[in-house]
Amino acid sequence: MSEDLTTISNEDIIVLYNEVNEYIKFLEDEIANVDIDGDSK
Amino acid sequence: MKDEIHNTIEAEKEVLSALPLKTKKNKTLYLTKVQELKKKYKNFLSDIAIEIVKRSKKIKNIEENSEISIINARLKELEENMILINKNLSSFEKMGLDKITYGLIYYYKENLNKINKNILKAINIFNNCGIELTAAHFDYSHYTYDYMLVFFKVIYDLKSDLLRQSFEKIFWKCPDLIVHLDLNIRYLYLENKNEIDKYFSDKKKEFLLKEKMSEEEVFTEYYGLIKTRNALVDCDQSTIIKSFIDHKYSINDYSSINVKNNFAKLIIDNEYYTQNEEVTDENIVKLEHSLIEYQDYLSFRYVIDDIIKKYKEKDTYKNILNIKLKEISKQEDILRKMNLKIYKLKSSKKDNKKIIESLLNETDPILLDLKNRYAELDVAIINDKVYNLLNNDSTYHDILSVACSNYNYLTRCIKDHEKDITEDDIKTKVYKLKSFINNPYNTIINNININDNRNIILTIVDRYKLLNINITEENLEERNLENYIASVHIAVMYLNIVTSHINIEDVDFVLKALPII
């Protein structure tokens, strides 16, 4: 995934950073919301 | 690549949403998958951040044009010596004693440490002029002498308890101690004036000889260098980027649509502009200089008015300064004779306490009288400058230069105009006035004579309308001026950005990268 980073434009790399960051937050929320022993939240 | 990643993320989200979460096994598998993705994207995010840091560093680390610091060093060197060739300054002002004596009276009752620092500063300045002061020189009153005896003992530790205790002890006997010290310093200057004048005259010759320049040439170099330095700073890539990072400017103002709209508002005939872009751009820069000069003029108009009021009465000032100086000298002779008498009685072995007390009481009204006379002398000094330095050909620039030459007058004038102003704000105003006077782009104040009643607003408006610039008298009204200057400044800043060859997208990237790095 990282191989092409040098070719991406300044504008796109910021957009990419924000999108990946948001996705990580989404994944973290998913982890927090799964209750292994109980009902799924 | 950006789109690819976006699609991958969306696809992964869809896969995740389709995964079953009913059983514990389902949930464990789901969590494992999510954890894997999180790890993968955390690594990726870190790689992106590294790339962003690398790119923004490349832009942010652009160094300031090295010529700027070279010019600044030369300007500093010249500035340190400019007082030597300033014809408006007396040697009292060249020594900075006007500021020191003002400081003594201001900090009176407020800050003993600052008072002592001011006294030490005065001692050092006299020393620089070849006059080495000791406690014996501070014999204006017995109180000044007693205090300065301790002062010289602890001169390297002015915060010492001994000095503080001495101050407190004397203060209860003589609450006017600081006033006496102030008068003593002024007296020492007058006593040594010839020697001090010679010191500054020699220093001036030495400076001009070293520079191999005439006074005129020094001024020409000085103002020329300010212009060159400012032009370099205005178009310096590093300075421009820093201004955006420090939020001095907003990047939105420089989007192509906003720049276009701003120029359209500023220009009367856009077709003419297209054909004469370079000249019009130069005129926009000149307009900004004129507007700033006009704004500064409005800030200090009351100073100009005050000096003009004095100028109208100038014939009454003839010889007043000399008369005041002679009167002071006469009173000081009387005071010194009485002081000598008291010293002798003090040194005698007999018990002269009562006679001494009585003589000390007799000196009090003389000291009070001298305090008033020195206050009158301050007024006479500025009036004498008006009398000798200004004439019908003098300009507003000359007027402000005279006002600026005497700290005592200027601060009084500022305080009369703004009753509740703080000392820090006074300092800022004095600094602003000096910068205004030294502004090399002034064209208004150095072309208006003392008796000229022209309408400055109309002059500016007429001048720039002729140059295809959209400007109205309303724009220059005090309530609108700041906004108009701001819009002209955006245009000037845009021109600077173009000249600097900075890519505005790069600046935008750095600003967006800031929260990441």
Side-chain angles (χ1 to χ4, degrees), chain A residues 1-2 5-6 8-10 12-13 16-17 19 21 23-24 27-28 30-31 35-38, chain B residues 1-2 5-6 9 12 24 27 30-31 34-35 37-38 40-41 45 47 51 55 506 509 516:
Chain A
M1 250 196 300
S2 306
L5 279 175
T6 51
I8 194 167
S9 74
N10 281 346
D12 284 352
I13 200 167
L16 186 61
Y17 180 92
E19 175 148 25
N21 201 24
Y23 186 41
I24 291 169
L27 295 170
E28 281 168 349
E30 287 299 298
I31 293 165
D35 183 358
I36 293 273
D37 299 317
Chain B
M1 184 200 190
K2 183 192 77 177
I5 301 288
H6 173 77
I9 287 173
E12 283 169 1
K24 194 172 178 176
K27 288 176 189 173
Y30 181 80
L31 276 177
V34 175
Q35 296 277 19
L37 286 170
K38 187 186 157 193
K40 182 175 109 182
Y41 280 95
L45 190 75
D47 289 342
E51 179 63 21
R55 292 187 195 188
D506 282 351
F509 167 72
I516 298 166

Side-chain angles (χ1 to χ4, degrees), chain B residues 273-320:
Chain B
Y273 176 57
T274 318
Q275 288 156 6
N276 300 277
E277 205 176 315
E278 203 176 321
V279 181
T280 314
D281 287 347
E282 277 173 22
N283 290 330
I284 290 173
V285 174
K286 283 181 187 165
L287 169 67
E288 189 191 30
H289 292 152
S290 297
L291 294 175
I292 290 170
E293 184 186 357
Y294 180 63
Q295 192 179 41
D296 285 340
Y297 158 76
L298 289 179
S299 305
F300 294 105
R301 190 169 45 183
Y302 64 92
V303 179
I304 297 175
D305 290 344
D306 192 62
I307 296 279
I308 289 179
K309 201 172 143 201
K310 285 180 177 293
Y311 181 75
K312 284 179 181 160
E313 295 162 6
K314 72 177 266 187
D315 291 338
T316 62
Y317 306 148
K318 197 178 175 185
N319 280 332
I320 298 289

Side-chain angles (χ1 to χ4, degrees), chain B residues 252-264 490-491 494:
Chain B
N252 293 333
D253 290 332
Y254 301 93
S255 67
S256 50
I257 182 79
N258 285 343
V259 167
K260 209 174 159 189
N261 288 341
N262 193 33
F263 269 84
I490 289 171
Y494 172 75

Side-chain angles (χ1 to χ4, degrees), chain B residues 217-230:
Chain B
E217 284 166 339
V218 174
F219 282 116
T220 308
E221 187 192 345
Y222 179 70
Y223 291 115
L225 281 176
I226 294 181
K227 276 187 177 179
T228 312
R229 190 263 323 264
N230 290 358

Side-chain angles (χ1 to χ4, degrees), chain B residues 165-177:
Chain B
Q165 284 157 7
S166 162
F167 181 84
E168 276 167 17
K169 197 175 144 196
I170 297 169
F171 184 82
W172 291 114
K173 286 187 208 162
C174 172
D176 263 352
L177 172 64

